[in-house]
Amino acid sequence: MRRATGDPVKVLLHRHRELCERAVDPLEIAAGLEACGVTDRAVARYRHRDVFSLAEELYARVPRDLSCTPDGARRPGGDRATGSEPDADLAPVPGPACAPPHAGGTAWHAGGTACGAGRGSLRRRGGRALAALLPAAVCAAALAVHARATGPLLIAVTAAGAAGLAAALVLAVRSGPLRAPRRAPLTTWAATLLLVLYAAYGDGLLDQLVGTGPVEPPPPATAPLLGLAAAVAPAALCARLFAVRARRRLAVSRALDDFTAGVRPLLLAVVALQLVALTGLLAAARLVPGTRPGALAPAVALGALLFLARLLAVYGFPRAGSIALGGAAAAQALACLSLLAGRLPGCDAAAVPVRRAVESWGAAAVPGAVCTAAALVLLGYACAVLARASAHARR
């Protein structure tokens, strides 16, 4: 039966027609409505108790590309969820019938297709797993050669190892659960590079600046590099776990507040799981022969910061991570520059805060405090934006 012209749901349907036609399930419509400002407290005007029930009605009433029945005929859009017919003035234009199933040897054809799809899925999963493990393998190989190289060969090995590790990291984050919808800007990559370089050379350089001054490049702390590279694999697993659990929570939630209340603890649990794995890998990397140990706490804070920044980029919020990474890199660079500036006549006061921090708590206090503060700010932002249903609409 057609609804009255003053039907508020039909008005909403016209307003968000593209969203409703493109959606593959009511959950996506609910997430889109939430992103447009339609909350559980604002749906009373549409005679519904929450956004999810309103999305179900919109999904049932909207005309969209019609699915195929087993015999190749088209099934009306109104038969999908509730059996109701779509509004007449929104009815779709009839199209050609779907192609019928394969006529001869149907069972064999379907079985072969399923087996082929299964093999393809296994190959894709295997490729993603290898991509996640590749940074650790490349870093371990580069460090093994680096420990035995001397002279000009050492410089060549360092450059080749850095280039190989960068390529492996790019491959790892552009496939699987860590793949973002948009490529990260160059500023994000530059900030990440500076943070990783500081993790390797920063503490030694800071000690030299506090003392007599830089004489030669300090030996790199290679254990944090190996631990951070190995942490890419558990980061991918944690991102996958969060995506699956959040989508499942979205399917069973009946209100946006209910979904938010369930996803925030899930996010905190996933971050804690990644921190446990990261800490274990960093501690194990210190035991690998040929590696030079570094401070554990700053490396854990840096790993948490990198994980949160990538997780936000995966869900379409790359700007926050880029700002946090850039701010942390700038703060660490500023700490070193302040010590250099303090050596200039009349500029002694510029080096006092950093000098006192290093003399009281050690050089690791500077990157530890900077990365921890940035990670905590990013975690608070992630708890706000990743608890929205709209963030998981396309996951």
Side-chain angles (χ1 to χ4, degrees):
M1 183 177 71
R2 288 183 58 125
R3 293 178 179 256
T5 306
D7 181 4
V9 177
K10 179 176 286 188
V11 175
L12 187 67
L13 181 59
H14 279 285
R15 187 180 305 160
H16 301 284
R17 179 170 181 173
E18 183 179 355
L19 166 67
C20 297
E21 288 178 343
R22 189 180 65 246
V24 297
D25 55 35
L27 300 178
E28 192 169 327
I29 297 178
L33 292 177
E34 183 213 25
C36 295
V38 181
T39 63
D40 289 336
R41 290 181 291 273
V43 298
R45 73 188 71 166
Y46 304 109
R47 308 185 190 111
H48 281 271
R49 67 184 182 277
D50 54 46
V51 173
F52 285 86
S53 62
L54 175 61
E56 288 175 351
E57 180 176 352
L58 290 172
Y59 185 78
R61 293 176 62 183
V62 71
R64 58 175 53 81
D65 291 338
L66 305 178
S67 58
C68 298
T69 59
D71 58 356
R74 283 194 177 264
R75 177 180 292 131
D79 294 342
R80 300 186 61 152
T82 63
S84 61
E85 291 296 329
D87 292 324
D89 58 343
L90 296 175
V93 179
C98 297
H102 194 276
T106 304
W108 175 88
H109 181 74
T113 302
C115 291
R119 287 193 294 268
S121 177
L122 288 176
R123 284 195 295 269
R124 285 193 299 272
R125 292 180 181 179
R128 292 170 181 173
L130 289 176
L133 294 171
L134 187 60
V138 172
C139 186
L143 292 181
V145 179
H146 183 275
R148 293 171 174 81
T150 56
L153 181 60
L154 179 62
I155 300 177
V157 168
T158 302
L165 180 58
L169 287 172
V170 170
L171 179 63
V173 300
R174 288 187 179 176
S175 61
L178 296 178
R179 183 174 61 87
R182 297 189 299 273
R183 290 189 176 184
L186 291 178
T187 53
T188 301
W189 288 108
T192 303
L193 176 61
L194 289 176
L195 289 171
V196 172
L197 285 176
Y198 192 97
Y201 294 97
D203 291 350
L205 178 61
L206 212 59
D207 282 329
Q208 289 184 358
L209 291 174
V210 171
T212 58
V215 179
E216 59 182 9
T222 53
L225 299 181
L226 181 58
L228 290 171
V232 174
L237 291 176
C238 288
R240 175 63 178 170
L241 176 64
F242 179 67
V244 171
R245 294 289 185 178
R247 186 68 181 181
R248 189 175 302 170
R249 183 73 187 182
L250 184 62
V252 301
S253 297
R254 298 305 309 166
L256 296 177
D257 292 340
D258 180 36
F259 174 76
T260 298
V263 168
R264 280 178 180 161
L266 173 63
L267 175 61
L268 294 176
V270 167
V271 173
L273 181 63
Q274 171 63 11
L275 286 179
V276 170
L278 174 63
T279 304
L281 289 171
L282 287 169
R286 297 159 66 95
L287 305 177
V288 175
T291 59
R292 185 181 298 273
L296 184 62
V300 172
L302 175 57
L305 176 60
L306 294 173
F307 174 69
L308 288 168
R310 192 61 195 178
L311 190 64
L312 285 167
V314 167
Y315 284 89
F317 304 97
R319 182 174 175 78
S322 180
I323 292 174
L325 293 173
Q332 292 181 356
L334 185 61
C336 296
L337 291 176
S338 67
L339 291 175
L340 289 174
R343 296 179 176 274
L344 298 176
C347 298
D348 297 343
V352 171
V354 177
R355 184 182 298 275
R356 287 183 177 177
V358 172
E359 291 174 350
S360 301
W361 300 295
V366 174
V370 168
C371 292
T372 299
L376 288 176
V377 171
L378 212 55
L379 179 60
Y381 180 79
C383 287
V385 298
L386 297 186
R388 300 173 186 169
S390 55
H392 305 269
R394 293 277 183 180
R395 298 303 303 166

